[in-house]
């Protein structure tokens, strides 16, 4: 249709008083050119890339260039150039989604599907600093499958991998809150971060983990500790002080794990400072 002589806001009322409308007025009254990206202006014009999108009501993504034009004695005009950037936007969205996915995958242990050591290290630092600021409890547990080398030697590495998966899945079910983290620390060793959890709460979770692994009844014929796969846990819990550092707390949990192994395994030992 011929719309010559009509106001652009009459032809496209949806742009009235919006950012595009202001940019047009700036071009006409102040001789200012501008560019409006689709990220700030979600498809202001009812234009479509194809008939399929039109039928679905999916407007094309639009990058709009506004250029003031002056002809001799005529009033100033402006040129609107509207580019279809739908394909570029789709590619950018795909790349962003892939970047998010890759970042998430970089935090996951490929065998067990739980968090990996990299994620543990980052999360432990975040929660440790938060506990310092809030003067709240911070608990760490180190978990080791008892005599796992003997298990691998006797049953083979494929069965060893299955054992790791089952243990990881069982341990994951023992922690309930979204803020708790279970990670594979390395080999047959796991670790947990329990924010805002005191000694009693953390020790209770550790005992549940020990019992749940025993109840799996995964045969371990070569274990001198139990006829079934078992775990040892070392932990610590405290409200971090300004002089405390994360490495010392993790080392204390490691020492507790050492004592759990030295005193018979298949148990949880906690140390405090």
């Amino acid at each position: 249709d011929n719309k010559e002589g009509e106001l652009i806001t009459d032809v496209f009322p949806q742009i009235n008083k919006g950012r595009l409308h202001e940019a047009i007025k700036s071009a006409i009254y102040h001789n200012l050119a501008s560019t409006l990206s689709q990220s700030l202006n979600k498809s202001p014009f009812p234009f479509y890339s194809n008939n399929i999108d039109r039928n679905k009501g999916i407007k094309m993504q639009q990058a709009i260039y506004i250029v003031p034009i002056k002809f001799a004695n005529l009033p100033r005009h402006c040129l609107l150039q509207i580019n279809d950037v739908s394909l570029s936007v789709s590619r950018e969205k795909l790349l962003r989604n892939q970047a998010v996915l890759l970042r998430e995958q970089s935090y996951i242990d490929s065998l067990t599907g739980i968090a990996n050591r990299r994620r543990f290290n980052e999360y432990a630092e975040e929660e440790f600093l938060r506990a310092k600021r809030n003067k709240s409890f911070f608990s760490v547990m180190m978990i080791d499958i008892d005599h796992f080398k003997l298990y691998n030697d006797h049953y083979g590495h494929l069965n060893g991998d299955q054992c790791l998966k089952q243990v990881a899945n069982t341990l994951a079910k023992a922690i309930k809150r979204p803020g708790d983290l279970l990670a594979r620390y390395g080999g047959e060793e796991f670790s947990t971060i329990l924010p805002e959890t005191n000694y009693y709460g953390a020790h209770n979770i550790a005992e549940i983990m020990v019992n749940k692994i025993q109840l799996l009844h995964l045969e371990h014929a070569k274990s001198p500790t139990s006829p079934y796969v078992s775990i040892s846990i070392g932990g610590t819990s405290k409200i971090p002080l300004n002089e405390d550092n994360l490495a010392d707390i993790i080392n204390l949990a490691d020492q507790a794990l050492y004592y759990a192994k030295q005193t018979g395994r298949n148990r949880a030992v906690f140390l405090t400072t």
Side-chain angles (χ1 to χ4, degrees), residues 12-113:
F12 301 107
Q14 66 271 24
I15 74 167
N16 189 35
K17 297 183 179 179
R19 192 163 183 269
L20 173 59
H21 190 199
E22 294 302 315
I24 292 172
K25 289 194 292 185
S26 293
I28 293 174
Y29 298 124
H30 305 294
N31 198 34
L32 296 174
S34 57
T35 300
L36 303 183
S37 69
Q38 59 78 33
S39 60
L40 296 177
N41 301 269
K42 300 297 184 182
S43 306
F45 291 110
F47 299 153
Y48 305 89
S49 297
N50 51 60
N51 287 332
I52 295 175
D53 284 352
R54 181 188 298 275
N55 293 334
K56 291 181 178 180
I58 302 174
K59 291 189 288 187
M60 74 180 190
Q61 300 290 325
Q62 302 158 24
I64 302 172
Y65 304 94
I66 302 153
V67 182
I69 300 173
K70 186 72 171 67
F71 296 104
N73 298 323
L74 296 176
R76 187 181 290 118
H77 292 63
C78 74
L79 170 69
L80 268 65
Q81 180 181 332
I82 305 168
N83 290 350
D84 183 357
V85 293
S86 301
L87 184 59
S88 297
V89 170
S90 296
R91 287 173 177 167
E92 288 175 10
K93 184 177 180 180
L94 178 61
L95 289 173
R96 285 196 301 270
N97 290 341
Q98 288 176 336
V100 170
L101 180 61
L102 287 172
R103 181 172 177 80
E104 290 175 350
Q105 289 176 340
S106 72
Y107 285 143
I108 299 298
D109 176 61
S110 58
L111 176 65
T112 62

Side-chain angles (χ1 to χ4, degrees), residues 104-227:
E104 290 175 350
Q105 289 176 340
S106 72
Y107 285 143
I108 299 298
D109 176 61
S110 58
L111 176 65
T112 62
I114 63 174
N116 58 18
R117 183 165 180 171
R118 176 184 177 186
R119 179 57 182 150
F120 172 84
N121 290 338
E122 289 188 13
Y123 192 69
E125 185 69 30
E126 292 169 8
E127 290 302 321
F128 174 72
L129 293 176
R130 190 166 71 88
K132 264 190 178 183
R133 290 194 302 270
N134 298 341
K135 295 180 172 54
S136 57
F137 275 98
F138 175 80
S139 294
V140 179
M141 298 193 304
M142 307 302 288
I143 306 162
D144 196 66
I145 300 178
D146 296 327
H147 309 294
F148 188 70
K149 184 179 185 305
L150 296 177
Y151 187 95
N152 260 343
D153 291 344
H154 183 68
Y155 295 101
H157 289 283
L158 288 178
N159 286 318
D161 286 348
Q162 290 302 314
C163 174
L164 286 169
K165 291 178 185 179
Q166 288 181 265
V167 169
N169 182 59
T170 303
L171 295 177
K173 290 178 180 177
I175 56 177
K176 305 295 184 182
R177 302 177 307 170
D180 298 338
L181 179 78
L182 171 72
R184 186 180 178 196
Y185 200 70
E188 70 274 19
E189 193 168 7
F190 300 87
S191 52
T192 63
I193 299 295
L194 303 172
E196 299 181 8
T197 305
N198 61 20
Y199 168 88
Y200 300 103
H203 194 274
N204 182 59
I205 291 173
E207 292 290 349
I208 290 172
M209 287 178 167
V210 170
N211 291 332
K212 281 184 175 293
I213 296 303
Q214 275 286 281
L215 291 174
L216 285 175
H217 289 167
L218 296 176
E219 182 181 314
H220 192 344
K222 296 299 180 178
S223 172
T225 299
S226 166

